[in-house]
Amino acid sequence: MIPDLFAEPRAAMAPGAVLLRGFALPRETALRAAIDTVTAEAPFRHMTTPGGFTMSVAMTTCGEVGWVTDRKGYRYSPVDPLSGKPWPAMPAPFRALATEAAAAAGYPGFHPDSCLINRYTPGTRLSLHQDQDEKDFSQPIVSVSLGLPATFQFGGPRRTDPTVKFPLSHGDVAVWGGPSRLFFHGVATLKDGAHPLLGRKRINLTFRRALE
Ligand code: SIN
Ligand code: FE2
């Protein structure tokens, strides 16, 4: 029998980096409800980079701390700057998915304290960057894709390293850590479309352990 490589549920992206296709699908209904609960309390907003640009991707957070950016720089904050209140707690289905996906990718014992929720509408993108505002780089990153498909660009330790493109579909989970923890990555401009569950957008959940 010839194996169907495209149906392979697991793809290596780089050393220490794996794409678990469809891993979040069994939880799609619970995840969607939890996203609505979190965003009712801490709405999506477009943050400003230290250089003064407004990000095209809208973001919010749940968990103990949230990644924020403004003219002063990038950092983790225990409060939502919009409300001055703590971020909403991380919903149980979020926490369980992140821990299980990390374990499936070879990182047992991952307990995220932060979940960044990214909302992409058609035409938006996330330029190449490293996730480097966390304290302990031995902890992996777990990144869940929901809604419209996107193209993930995964590079290397230097900004100028070539990138490999991976299609990300609804339910896919990418996990990177160990040797690729600080690799550059980004999301290409989102194409237009409509997703049956989420409509004209893509939602990404990025789980991290930000504090020690
Ligand atoms: C990120 O790198 O912060 C988000 C990745 C994604 O949207 O898939
Ligand atoms: Fe990132």
Side-chain angles (χ1 to χ4, degrees), residues 110-165:
F110 176 58
H111 298 291
D113 56 14
S114 184
C115 174
L116 180 68
I117 308 177
N118 294 309
R119 185 189 67 194
Y120 299 74
T121 49
T124 64
R125 63 191 284 268
L126 194 63
S127 52
L128 275 189
H129 65 276
Q130 292 169 293
D131 288 14
Q132 55 176 358
D133 300 316
E134 300 74 33
K135 290 220 163 72
D136 178 4
F137 296 141
S138 74
Q139 300 281 340
I141 304 284
V142 173
S143 178
V144 179
S145 291
L146 298 167
L148 287 179
T151 301
F152 196 41
Q153 302 156 325
F154 206 77
R158 288 172 302 267
R159 188 176 288 280
T160 50
D161 288 331
T163 59
V164 182
K165 291 176 180 162

Short mmCIF file of all heavy atoms in Angstrom, two decimals, residues 110-165:
data_model
loop_
_atom_site.label_atom_id
_atom_site.label_comp_id
_atom_site.label_asym_id
_atom_site.label_seq_id
_atom_site.Cartn_x
_atom_site.Cartn_y
_atom_site.Cartn_z
N PHE A 110 3.83 19.89 30.69
CA PHE A 110 3.69 21.30 30.30
C PHE A 110 2.42 21.87 30.94
O PHE A 110 1.32 21.39 30.71
CB PHE A 110 3.62 21.42 28.78
CG PHE A 110 3.37 22.82 28.28
CD1 PHE A 110 4.23 23.86 28.60
CD2 PHE A 110 2.27 23.10 27.47
CE1 PHE A 110 4.00 25.16 28.14
CE2 PHE A 110 2.03 24.39 26.99
CZ PHE A 110 2.90 25.42 27.33
N HIS A 111 2.59 22.92 31.75
CA HIS A 111 1.45 23.56 32.41
C HIS A 111 1.49 25.05 32.10
O HIS A 111 2.17 25.82 32.78
CB HIS A 111 1.48 23.28 33.92
CG HIS A 111 1.35 21.82 34.22
ND1 HIS A 111 0.19 21.10 34.00
CD2 HIS A 111 2.26 20.92 34.64
CE1 HIS A 111 0.39 19.84 34.30
NE2 HIS A 111 1.63 19.69 34.69
N PRO A 112 0.77 25.48 31.05
CA PRO A 112 0.84 26.87 30.63
C PRO A 112 0.22 27.81 31.67
O PRO A 112 -0.75 27.45 32.34
CB PRO A 112 0.01 26.89 29.34
CG PRO A 112 -0.92 25.74 29.46
CD PRO A 112 -0.18 24.69 30.23
N ASP A 113 0.80 29.01 31.80
CA ASP A 113 0.18 30.03 32.66
C ASP A 113 -0.38 31.18 31.83
O ASP A 113 -0.89 32.15 32.38
CB ASP A 113 1.18 30.53 33.71
CG ASP A 113 2.47 31.07 33.11
OD1 ASP A 113 2.52 31.30 31.90
OD2 ASP A 113 3.45 31.24 33.87
N SER A 114 -0.30 31.05 30.50
CA SER A 114 -0.77 32.13 29.63
C SER A 114 -1.27 31.56 28.31
O SER A 114 -0.66 30.64 27.75
CB SER A 114 0.38 33.10 29.36
OG SER A 114 -0.09 34.19 28.60
N CYS A 115 -2.39 32.08 27.84
CA CYS A 115 -2.87 31.72 26.50
C CYS A 115 -3.20 33.00 25.76
O CYS A 115 -4.15 33.71 26.11
CB CYS A 115 -4.10 30.82 26.57
SG CYS A 115 -4.79 30.50 24.93
N LEU A 116 -2.42 33.29 24.74
CA LEU A 116 -2.68 34.43 23.87
C LEU A 116 -3.69 33.98 22.81
O LEU A 116 -3.52 32.92 22.21
CB LEU A 116 -1.37 34.84 23.21
CG LEU A 116 -1.40 36.03 22.24
CD1 LEU A 116 -1.70 37.32 22.98
CD2 LEU A 116 -0.06 36.14 21.50
N ILE A 117 -4.74 34.75 22.64
CA ILE A 117 -5.75 34.42 21.62
C ILE A 117 -5.60 35.45 20.50
O ILE A 117 -5.78 36.65 20.71
CB ILE A 117 -7.17 34.45 22.22
CG1 ILE A 117 -7.24 33.59 23.50
CG2 ILE A 117 -8.19 33.97 21.19
CD1 ILE A 117 -8.61 33.61 24.19
N ASN A 118 -5.23 34.95 19.32
CA ASN A 118 -5.01 35.80 18.15
C ASN A 118 -6.20 35.68 17.20
O ASN A 118 -6.61 34.57 16.88
CB ASN A 118 -3.76 35.36 17.39
CG ASN A 118 -2.47 35.56 18.17
OD1 ASN A 118 -2.23 36.65 18.68
ND2 ASN A 118 -1.66 34.52 18.27
N ARG A 119 -6.71 36.81 16.72
CA ARG A 119 -7.80 36.78 15.73
C ARG A 119 -7.31 37.39 14.41
O ARG A 119 -6.96 38.56 14.35
CB ARG A 119 -9.01 37.56 16.23
CG ARG A 119 -10.21 37.44 15.28
CD ARG A 119 -11.33 38.37 15.67
NE ARG A 119 -10.95 39.76 15.50
CZ ARG A 119 -11.62 40.80 16.01
NH1 ARG A 119 -12.71 40.59 16.73
NH2 ARG A 119 -11.20 42.02 15.82
N TYR A 120 -7.31 36.54 13.38
CA TYR A 120 -6.91 36.98 12.04
C TYR A 120 -8.16 37.11 11.18
O TYR A 120 -8.96 36.19 11.12
CB TYR A 120 -6.02 35.93 11.37
CG TYR A 120 -4.71 35.62 12.05
CD1 TYR A 120 -4.66 34.87 13.23
CD2 TYR A 120 -3.50 36.06 11.50
CE1 TYR A 120 -3.45 34.57 13.83
CE2 TYR A 120 -2.29 35.75 12.11
CZ TYR A 120 -2.27 35.01 13.27
OH TYR A 120 -1.07 34.70 13.87
N THR A 121 -8.32 38.25 10.50
CA THR A 121 -9.36 38.38 9.48
C THR A 121 -8.64 38.39 8.13
O THR A 121 -7.42 38.61 8.08
CB THR A 121 -10.18 39.66 9.69
OG1 THR A 121 -9.28 40.75 9.86
CG2 THR A 121 -11.07 39.56 10.94
N PRO A 122 -9.36 38.13 7.02
CA PRO A 122 -8.68 38.09 5.71
C PRO A 122 -7.86 39.36 5.49
O PRO A 122 -8.31 40.47 5.78
CB PRO A 122 -9.85 37.96 4.73
CG PRO A 122 -10.89 37.20 5.51
CD PRO A 122 -10.78 37.75 6.91
N GLY A 123 -6.63 39.17 5.00
CA GLY A 123 -5.74 40.30 4.74
C GLY A 123 -4.75 40.57 5.87
O GLY A 123 -3.81 41.34 5.69
N THR A 124 -4.95 39.96 7.03
CA THR A 124 -4.03 40.20 8.14
C THR A 124 -2.91 39.15 8.14
O THR A 124 -3.05 38.06 7.57
CB THR A 124 -4.73 40.17 9.52
OG1 THR A 124 -5.26 38.86 9.74
CG2 THR A 124 -5.88 41.17 9.57
N ARG A 125 -1.79 39.49 8.77
CA ARG A 125 -0.64 38.58 8.85
C ARG A 125 0.15 38.85 10.11
O ARG A 125 -0.05 39.88 10.77
CB ARG A 125 0.26 38.77 7.63
CG ARG A 125 0.86 40.18 7.56
CD ARG A 125 1.53 40.41 6.22
NE ARG A 125 2.82 39.73 6.16
CZ ARG A 125 3.98 40.29 6.50
NH1 ARG A 125 4.02 41.53 6.94
NH2 ARG A 125 5.09 39.62 6.39
N LEU A 126 1.04 37.91 10.42
CA LEU A 126 1.93 38.10 11.57
C LEU A 126 3.35 37.91 11.06
O LEU A 126 3.70 36.82 10.59
CB LEU A 126 1.59 37.08 12.66
CG LEU A 126 2.19 37.33 14.04
CD1 LEU A 126 1.67 38.64 14.65
CD2 LEU A 126 1.88 36.17 14.98
N SER A 127 4.14 38.96 11.12
CA SER A 127 5.48 38.89 10.53
C SER A 127 6.41 38.01 11.37
O SER A 127 6.11 37.69 12.52
CB SER A 127 6.05 40.29 10.33
OG SER A 127 5.96 41.01 11.52
N LEU A 128 7.51 37.60 10.75
CA LEU A 128 8.47 36.69 11.39
C LEU A 128 8.94 37.24 12.73
O LEU A 128 9.32 38.41 12.82
CB LEU A 128 9.69 36.50 10.49
CG LEU A 128 9.67 35.46 9.38
CD1 LEU A 128 11.08 35.34 8.80
CD2 LEU A 128 9.19 34.11 9.88
N HIS A 129 8.91 36.41 13.74
CA HIS A 129 9.33 36.83 15.07
C HIS A 129 9.77 35.60 15.88
O HIS A 129 9.53 34.47 15.47
CB HIS A 129 8.17 37.53 15.80
CG HIS A 129 7.02 36.60 16.08
ND1 HIS A 129 6.05 36.32 15.14
CD2 HIS A 129 6.71 35.83 17.15
CE1 HIS A 129 5.19 35.45 15.64
NE2 HIS A 129 5.57 35.13 16.86
N GLN A 130 10.39 35.85 17.02
CA GLN A 130 10.71 34.79 17.98
C GLN A 130 9.83 34.99 19.21
O GLN A 130 9.54 36.13 19.56
CB GLN A 130 12.16 34.91 18.45
CG GLN A 130 13.20 34.64 17.40
CD GLN A 130 14.57 35.05 17.92
OE1 GLN A 130 14.83 36.22 18.12
NE2 GLN A 130 15.45 34.08 18.13
N ASP A 131 9.42 33.92 19.87
CA ASP A 131 8.74 34.04 21.16
C ASP A 131 9.83 34.02 22.22
O ASP A 131 10.37 32.96 22.54
CB ASP A 131 7.78 32.84 21.38
CG ASP A 131 6.54 32.90 20.49
OD1 ASP A 131 6.52 33.70 19.53
OD2 ASP A 131 5.60 32.14 20.76
N GLN A 132 10.19 35.20 22.72
CA GLN A 132 11.36 35.24 23.61
C GLN A 132 11.14 36.09 24.86
O GLN A 132 12.10 36.50 25.51
CB GLN A 132 12.58 35.74 22.85
CG GLN A 132 12.36 37.07 22.19
CD GLN A 132 13.62 37.60 21.51
OE1 GLN A 132 14.66 36.99 21.57
NE2 GLN A 132 13.50 38.75 20.89
N ASP A 133 9.87 36.34 25.21
CA ASP A 133 9.60 37.14 26.40
C ASP A 133 9.31 36.28 27.62
O ASP A 133 8.94 36.79 28.68
CB ASP A 133 8.43 38.10 26.13
CG ASP A 133 8.75 39.04 24.97
OD1 ASP A 133 9.89 39.55 24.95
OD2 ASP A 133 7.90 39.22 24.09
N GLU A 134 9.47 34.95 27.47
CA GLU A 134 9.20 34.02 28.57
C GLU A 134 10.49 33.80 29.37
O GLU A 134 11.59 34.02 28.85
CB GLU A 134 8.66 32.69 28.01
CG GLU A 134 7.36 32.85 27.22
CD GLU A 134 7.55 33.48 25.86
OE1 GLU A 134 8.61 33.25 25.24
OE2 GLU A 134 6.64 34.22 25.40
N LYS A 135 10.33 33.32 30.61
CA LYS A 135 11.51 33.19 31.49
C LYS A 135 12.29 31.90 31.25
O LYS A 135 13.50 31.87 31.38
CB LYS A 135 11.05 33.23 32.96
CG LYS A 135 10.56 34.60 33.40
CD LYS A 135 11.03 34.91 34.81
CE LYS A 135 10.94 36.39 35.13
NZ LYS A 135 9.55 36.86 35.31
N ASP A 136 11.57 30.82 30.90
CA ASP A 136 12.20 29.50 30.86
C ASP A 136 12.04 28.89 29.47
O ASP A 136 10.98 28.37 29.13
CB ASP A 136 11.53 28.62 31.94
CG ASP A 136 12.08 27.21 31.96
OD1 ASP A 136 13.04 26.91 31.20
OD2 ASP A 136 11.55 26.39 32.74
N PHE A 137 13.11 28.92 28.68
CA PHE A 137 13.02 28.43 27.30
C PHE A 137 13.07 26.90 27.22
O PHE A 137 13.05 26.34 26.13
CB PHE A 137 14.12 29.05 26.44
CG PHE A 137 14.01 30.54 26.29
CD1 PHE A 137 15.14 31.34 26.30
CD2 PHE A 137 12.77 31.15 26.14
CE1 PHE A 137 15.04 32.72 26.16
CE2 PHE A 137 12.66 32.52 26.01
CZ PHE A 137 13.79 33.32 26.02
N SER A 138 13.11 26.21 28.37
CA SER A 138 12.99 24.75 28.31
C SER A 138 11.52 24.34 28.18
O SER A 138 11.21 23.19 27.91
CB SER A 138 13.61 24.10 29.55
OG SER A 138 12.78 24.30 30.68
N GLN A 139 10.61 25.32 28.33
CA GLN A 139 9.17 25.05 28.18
C GLN A 139 8.76 25.27 26.72
O GLN A 139 9.16 26.27 26.11
CB GLN A 139 8.36 26.01 29.06
CG GLN A 139 8.67 25.91 30.54
CD GLN A 139 7.99 24.73 31.20
OE1 GLN A 139 7.02 24.19 30.70
NE2 GLN A 139 8.51 24.33 32.34
N PRO A 140 7.97 24.35 26.15
CA PRO A 140 7.61 24.48 24.74
C PRO A 140 6.51 25.53 24.50
O PRO A 140 5.99 26.13 25.45
CB PRO A 140 7.09 23.09 24.39
CG PRO A 140 6.47 22.62 25.67
CD PRO A 140 7.34 23.18 26.78
N ILE A 141 6.18 25.73 23.24
CA ILE A 141 5.05 26.57 22.81
C ILE A 141 4.02 25.63 22.18
O ILE A 141 4.39 24.74 21.40
CB ILE A 141 5.50 27.57 21.71
CG1 ILE A 141 6.66 28.44 22.18
CG2 ILE A 141 4.32 28.39 21.22
CD1 ILE A 141 6.31 29.53 23.12
N VAL A 142 2.76 25.80 22.53
CA VAL A 142 1.69 25.00 21.91
C VAL A 142 0.75 25.96 21.21
O VAL A 142 0.22 26.89 21.82
CB VAL A 142 0.93 24.17 22.97
CG1 VAL A 142 -0.28 23.48 22.35
CG2 VAL A 142 1.85 23.13 23.61
N SER A 143 0.54 25.76 19.92
CA SER A 143 -0.18 26.73 19.09
C SER A 143 -1.32 26.04 18.33
O SER A 143 -1.08 25.16 17.51
CB SER A 143 0.85 27.34 18.13
OG SER A 143 0.25 28.25 17.26
N VAL A 144 -2.55 26.44 18.62
CA VAL A 144 -3.75 25.75 18.12
C VAL A 144 -4.42 26.61 17.04
O VAL A 144 -4.64 27.81 17.25
CB VAL A 144 -4.75 25.53 19.28
CG1 VAL A 144 -6.03 24.85 18.80
CG2 VAL A 144 -4.09 24.71 20.40
N SER A 145 -4.74 26.01 15.91
CA SER A 145 -5.38 26.72 14.80
C SER A 145 -6.86 26.37 14.71
O SER A 145 -7.21 25.19 14.69
CB SER A 145 -4.72 26.34 13.47
OG SER A 145 -3.42 26.84 13.40
N LEU A 146 -7.70 27.40 14.62
CA LEU A 146 -9.15 27.20 14.47
C LEU A 146 -9.68 28.14 13.38
O LEU A 146 -9.18 29.26 13.23
CB LEU A 146 -9.87 27.48 15.79
CG LEU A 146 -9.50 26.58 16.98
CD1 LEU A 146 -10.03 27.16 18.29
CD2 LEU A 146 -10.02 25.16 16.78
N GLY A 147 -10.68 27.69 12.65
CA GLY A 147 -11.29 28.55 11.64
C GLY A 147 -10.58 28.48 10.31
O GLY A 147 -10.12 27.41 9.89
N LEU A 148 -10.50 29.62 9.62
CA LEU A 148 -9.94 29.66 8.26
C LEU A 148 -8.51 29.10 8.21
O LEU A 148 -7.74 29.29 9.16
CB LEU A 148 -9.93 31.10 7.73
CG LEU A 148 -11.28 31.70 7.34
CD1 LEU A 148 -11.08 33.14 6.86
CD2 LEU A 148 -11.96 30.87 6.25
N PRO A 149 -8.15 28.44 7.11
CA PRO A 149 -6.79 27.91 6.97
C PRO A 149 -5.77 29.03 6.81
O PRO A 149 -6.08 30.12 6.35
CB PRO A 149 -6.87 27.04 5.71
CG PRO A 149 -8.03 27.54 4.94
CD PRO A 149 -8.99 28.13 5.93
N ALA A 150 -4.53 28.74 7.17
CA ALA A 150 -3.45 29.72 7.07
C ALA A 150 -2.17 29.01 6.66
O ALA A 150 -2.10 27.78 6.63
CB ALA A 150 -3.25 30.41 8.41
N THR A 151 -1.17 29.80 6.31
CA THR A 151 0.16 29.25 6.00
C THR A 151 1.13 29.70 7.09
O THR A 151 1.32 30.89 7.30
CB THR A 151 0.64 29.75 4.62
OG1 THR A 151 -0.30 29.34 3.64
CG2 THR A 151 2.01 29.16 4.30
N PHE A 152 1.70 28.71 7.77
CA PHE A 152 2.68 28.96 8.84
C PHE A 152 4.05 28.95 8.21
O PHE A 152 4.38 28.06 7.41
CB PHE A 152 2.54 27.83 9.87
CG PHE A 152 3.18 28.08 11.20
CD1 PHE A 152 3.09 29.32 11.82
CD2 PHE A 152 3.85 27.05 11.86
CE1 PHE A 152 3.66 29.53 13.08
CE2 PHE A 152 4.41 27.26 13.12
CZ PHE A 152 4.32 28.50 13.72
N GLN A 153 4.85 29.94 8.55
CA GLN A 153 6.23 30.01 8.06
C GLN A 153 7.13 29.67 9.23
O GLN A 153 7.09 30.35 10.25
CB GLN A 153 6.53 31.42 7.56
CG GLN A 153 5.58 31.86 6.45
CD GLN A 153 5.46 33.38 6.34
OE1 GLN A 153 5.50 34.10 7.33
NE2 GLN A 153 5.31 33.86 5.13
N PHE A 154 7.91 28.60 9.08
CA PHE A 154 8.78 28.18 10.19
C PHE A 154 10.22 28.22 9.71
O PHE A 154 10.59 27.56 8.75
CB PHE A 154 8.38 26.78 10.66
CG PHE A 154 8.75 26.52 12.10
CD1 PHE A 154 7.98 27.05 13.13
CD2 PHE A 154 9.88 25.78 12.42
CE1 PHE A 154 8.33 26.83 14.46
CE2 PHE A 154 10.22 25.55 13.75
CZ PHE A 154 9.45 26.08 14.78
N GLY A 155 11.04 29.04 10.37
CA GLY A 155 12.41 29.26 9.94
C GLY A 155 13.43 28.61 10.85
O GLY A 155 13.30 27.45 11.22
N GLY A 156 14.43 29.38 11.21
CA GLY A 156 15.52 28.88 12.04
C GLY A 156 15.88 29.89 13.11
O GLY A 156 15.10 30.80 13.39
N PRO A 157 17.06 29.75 13.70
CA PRO A 157 17.44 30.64 14.80
C PRO A 157 17.76 32.07 14.37
O PRO A 157 17.79 32.97 15.20
CB PRO A 157 18.68 29.96 15.40
CG PRO A 157 19.19 29.04 14.34
CD PRO A 157 18.02 28.65 13.50
N ARG A 158 18.02 32.29 13.08
CA ARG A 158 18.30 33.65 12.60
C ARG A 158 17.17 34.12 11.69
O ARG A 158 16.60 33.34 10.93
CB ARG A 158 19.63 33.68 11.83
CG ARG A 158 20.85 33.54 12.72
CD ARG A 158 22.11 33.38 11.88
NE ARG A 158 21.96 32.21 11.01
CZ ARG A 158 22.38 30.98 11.32
NH1 ARG A 158 22.97 30.76 12.48
NH2 ARG A 158 22.19 29.98 10.48
N ARG A 159 16.89 35.41 11.75
CA ARG A 159 15.81 36.00 10.94
C ARG A 159 15.99 35.71 9.45
O ARG A 159 15.02 35.56 8.71
CB ARG A 159 15.77 37.51 11.19
CG ARG A 159 14.59 38.21 10.57
CD ARG A 159 14.57 39.68 10.93
NE ARG A 159 14.20 39.90 12.32
CZ ARG A 159 12.95 39.89 12.77
NH1 ARG A 159 11.94 39.66 11.96
NH2 ARG A 159 12.71 40.10 14.05
N THR A 160 17.25 35.63 9.03
CA THR A 160 17.54 35.46 7.60
C THR A 160 17.51 33.99 7.17
O THR A 160 17.67 33.69 5.98
CB THR A 160 18.92 36.05 7.26
OG1 THR A 160 19.86 35.54 8.22
CG2 THR A 160 18.89 37.57 7.35
N ASP A 161 17.33 33.05 8.12
CA ASP A 161 17.27 31.63 7.74
C ASP A 161 16.07 31.39 6.83
O ASP A 161 15.03 32.04 6.98
CB ASP A 161 17.14 30.75 9.00
CG ASP A 161 18.42 30.70 9.81
OD1 ASP A 161 19.51 30.83 9.21
OD2 ASP A 161 18.34 30.53 11.04
N PRO A 162 16.21 30.44 5.89
CA PRO A 162 15.06 30.14 5.03
C PRO A 162 13.89 29.60 5.84
O PRO A 162 14.10 28.94 6.87
CB PRO A 162 15.59 29.07 4.06
CG PRO A 162 16.86 28.57 4.65
CD PRO A 162 17.40 29.62 5.58
N THR A 163 12.68 29.88 5.40
CA THR A 163 11.51 29.35 6.10
C THR A 163 10.87 28.24 5.28
O THR A 163 10.97 28.23 4.05
CB THR A 163 10.44 30.45 6.36
OG1 THR A 163 10.04 30.99 5.11
CG2 THR A 163 10.97 31.55 7.25
N VAL A 164 10.22 27.31 5.97
CA VAL A 164 9.44 26.26 5.32
C VAL A 164 7.98 26.59 5.59
O VAL A 164 7.63 27.06 6.69
CB VAL A 164 9.81 24.87 5.87
CG1 VAL A 164 9.02 23.77 5.16
CG2 VAL A 164 11.31 24.62 5.74
N LYS A 165 7.12 26.39 4.58
CA LYS A 165 5.69 26.71 4.75
C LYS A 165 4.90 25.46 5.10
O LYS A 165 5.05 24.42 4.46
CB LYS A 165 5.14 27.30 3.45
CG LYS A 165 5.70 28.67 3.16
CD LYS A 165 5.20 29.19 1.82
CE LYS A 165 5.78 30.56 1.56
NZ LYS A 165 5.70 30.93 0.15
#
